[in-house]
């Protein structure tokens, strides 16, 4: 796929401006020295105010579609401290849409947490439905049923899947790659392409958009996706399916089908750093996260970016990322989760 074809298809997608773009692209010399690479960070953690993070790029497309379809209520899901749910709740409030959140909890009878993303969800007036892990496994059906019920009541629901990671949402990260290309073109980032884009992966949409567009846009020939929960085989399947859907969207926007077929970046899912479970980091990961804050003033989170960045440092030590190479790390956000669980850091500070 040529840049021109992708540009034209992306430009024709309906989009609501929600994020503060372009997000900063910064050089971090102290971390470059620590890791032994030429490290740049795309500050998508600074993509907005309280709704900041990677999800807002997907929501610019998803909520535009919801509004075009005449929706008056959006439904989505996530873990109890979901960054995606919080971004959706705040953006929905901004657009005058109701928001219903299905959030996974360990114990339905326990009190909801007071802080972090849950507080922001509640400030935004979102309706929170706690659900069990077993119900969460059936989340797509559960949301489809809830939407059907709302439709019977005369409302117009729009369902956003976990993480906003469907084919349309993922194109938010193809647009992010276009944004980095334009930043490189005006001389930021030293103007040379990167060797590799590195990012945290939870629901797969960010990966799908980056893999689809990083090489076409001349940002980097390779993408390293750092899994934070499931293994590489799972994400290869999942992200592959999202990319196939994204390509269908591009074709619907007028891109020739054969042109969108073969254009991906070389792609590795790295699952060395996923840690013990979703949301649970190792001691080493937590200590590294603290070290990064002290070296750079950048705050990573233990669920996503902390694991991914630690994974990057390990990949460099193993030689899987070449020492001295130019690395673009996408800081995907996650600050509210850090503030919600201070006890996680007690022995690392
Ligand atoms: C959701 C999220 C990710 C993962 O992005 P996906 O597109 O869901 O894979 C990474 N970092 C943070 C902070 C997130 O909230």
């Amino acid at each position: 796929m040529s840049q021109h074809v992708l540009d034209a298809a992306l430009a024709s997608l309906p989009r609501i401006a929600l994020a503060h773009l372009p997000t900063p692209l910064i050089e971090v010399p102290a971390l470059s020295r620590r890791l032994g690479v030429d490290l740049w960070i795309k500050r998508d953690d600074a993509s907005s105010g309280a709704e900041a993070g990677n999800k807002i790029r997907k929501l610019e497309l998803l909520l535009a579609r919801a509004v075009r379809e005449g929706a008056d209520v959006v439904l989505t899901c996530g873990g109890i401290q979901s960054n995606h749910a919080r971004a959706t709740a705040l953006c929905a409030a901004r657009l005058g849409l109701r928001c219903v959140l299905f959030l996974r909890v360990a114990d339905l009878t326990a009190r909801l947490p007071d802080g972090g993303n849950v507080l922001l969800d509640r400030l935004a007036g979102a309706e929170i439905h706690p659900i069990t892990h077993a119900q969460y496994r059936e989340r797509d059906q559960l949301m489809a049923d809830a939407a059907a019920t709302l439709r019977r009541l005369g409302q117009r629901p729009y369902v956003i899947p976990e993480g906003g990671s469907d084919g349309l949402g993922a194109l938010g990260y193809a647009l992010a790659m276009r944004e980095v290309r334009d930043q490189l073109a005006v001389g930021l980032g030293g103007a040379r392409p990167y060797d590799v884009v590195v990012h945290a992966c939870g629901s797969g949409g960010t990966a799908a958009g980056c893999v689809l567009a990083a090489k076409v846009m001349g940002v980097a020939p390779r993408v390293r996706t750092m899994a934070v929960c499931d293994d590489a085989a799972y994400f290869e399947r999942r992200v592959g399916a999202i990319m196939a859907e994204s390509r269908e969207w591009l074709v619907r926007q007028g891109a020739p089908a054969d042109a969108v077929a073969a254009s991906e970046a070389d792609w590795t899912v790295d699952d060395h750093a996923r840690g013990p479970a979703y949301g649970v980091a190792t001691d080493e990961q937590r200590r590294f996260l603290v070290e990064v804050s002290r070296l750079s003033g950048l705050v990573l989170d233990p669920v996503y970016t902390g694991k991914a960045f630690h994974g990057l440092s390990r990949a460099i030590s193993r030689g899987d990322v070449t020492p001295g190479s130019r690395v673009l790390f996408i800081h995907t956000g996650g600050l509210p989760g850090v503030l919600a669980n201070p006890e996680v850091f007690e022995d690392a500070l």
Side-chain angles (χ1 to χ4, degrees):
M1 171 163 45
S2 70
Q3 246 186 58
H4 175 72
V5 165
L6 184 56
D7 267 349
L10 291 175
S12 68
L13 285 168
R15 190 173 160 203
I16 297 177
L18 296 169
H20 302 169
L21 303 177
T23 59
L25 180 61
I26 64 165
E27 198 175 10
V28 193
L31 294 179
S32 289
R33 281 193 296 275
R34 171 69 174 79
L35 297 187
V37 292
D38 180 12
L39 180 75
W40 290 73
I41 299 200
K42 180 67 172 158
R43 295 290 307 271
D44 278 6
D45 60 316
S47 59
S48 195
E51 66 276 53
N54 64 339
K55 302 309 180 307
I56 193 168
R57 290 190 185 270
K58 307 177 194 181
L59 291 168
E60 287 201 336
L61 299 168
L62 295 166
L63 291 174
R65 179 155 180 241
V67 167
R68 277 168 85 96
E69 289 185 359
D72 52 15
V73 50
V74 295
L75 287 67
T76 197
C77 64
I80 183 67
Q81 285 291 355
S82 165
N83 297 309
H84 163 68
R86 171 259 307 168
T88 306
L90 291 165
C91 292
R94 174 161 160 188
L95 298 174
L97 303 167
R98 266 181 62 222
C99 180
V100 178
L101 302 176
F102 295 93
L103 302 182
R104 184 183 64 229
V105 295
D107 175 2
L108 282 183
T109 61
R111 228 172 93 84
L112 287 181
D114 296 317
N117 285 305
V118 176
L119 173 60
L120 296 168
D121 297 342
R122 296 181 65 204
L123 283 171
E127 192 180 306
I128 298 178
H129 296 273
I131 60 174
T132 63
H133 284 251
Q135 286 173 305
Y136 195 81
R137 281 193 283 278
E138 307 299 322
R139 56 193 173 273
D140 290 332
Q141 188 58 49
L142 189 137
M143 290 196 290
D145 292 346
T149 305
L150 291 172
R151 241 175 253 117
R152 277 196 297 278
L153 294 170
Q155 299 178 32
R156 292 189 300 279
Y158 183 88
V159 175
I160 297 177
E162 177 189 62
S165 289
D166 59 14
L168 180 60
L171 290 174
Y173 266 86
L175 285 159
M177 292 297 102
R178 186 184 73 175
E179 185 177 300
V180 173
R181 174 200 69 189
D182 293 346
Q183 288 179 306
L184 288 171
V186 297
L188 266 174
R192 268 189 306 130
Y194 297 99
D195 294 309
V196 62
V197 171
V198 179
H199 71 92
C201 177
S203 66
T206 303
C210 289
V211 174
L212 210 65
K215 187 168 154 191
V216 183
M217 291 296 177
V219 169
R222 266 185 301 284
V223 173
R224 176 169 288 264
T225 289
M226 309 300 303
V228 303
C229 39
D230 296 283
D231 65 10
Y234 169 82
F235 278 118
E236 280 158 14
R237 249 191 342 269
R238 181 83 203 98
V239 174
I242 299 169
M243 273 197 285
E245 239 191 81
S246 294
R247 287 201 181 88
E248 286 169 25
W249 273 99
L250 293 174
V251 171
R252 238 171 280 159
Q253 296 305 121
D258 55 338
V260 303
S263 52
E264 283 123 71
D266 292 340
W267 179 42
T268 306
V269 181
D270 181 340
D271 61 8
H272 289 84
R274 63 189 157 126
Y278 175 78
V280 185
T282 63
D283 288 348
E284 193 183 330
Q285 287 171 332
R286 289 180 297 121
R287 279 197 300 271
F288 188 69
L289 182 158
V290 172
E291 188 190 340
V292 167
S293 301
R294 291 175 182 181
L295 275 174
S296 66
L298 289 168
V299 178
L300 304 175
D301 75 297
V303 183
Y304 293 102
T305 54
K307 284 185 178 179
F309 200 73
H310 180 252
L312 168 62
S313 93
R314 301 290 302 273
I316 296 164
S317 305
R318 289 195 309 271
D320 288 346
V321 169
T322 312
S325 60
R326 277 168 65 76
V327 176
L328 177 63
F329 182 81
I330 305 178
H331 191 328
T332 41
L335 181 61
V338 176
L339 302 178
N341 297 302
E343 68 284 357
V344 166
F345 299 99
E346 240 157 46
D347 58 354
L349 295 174

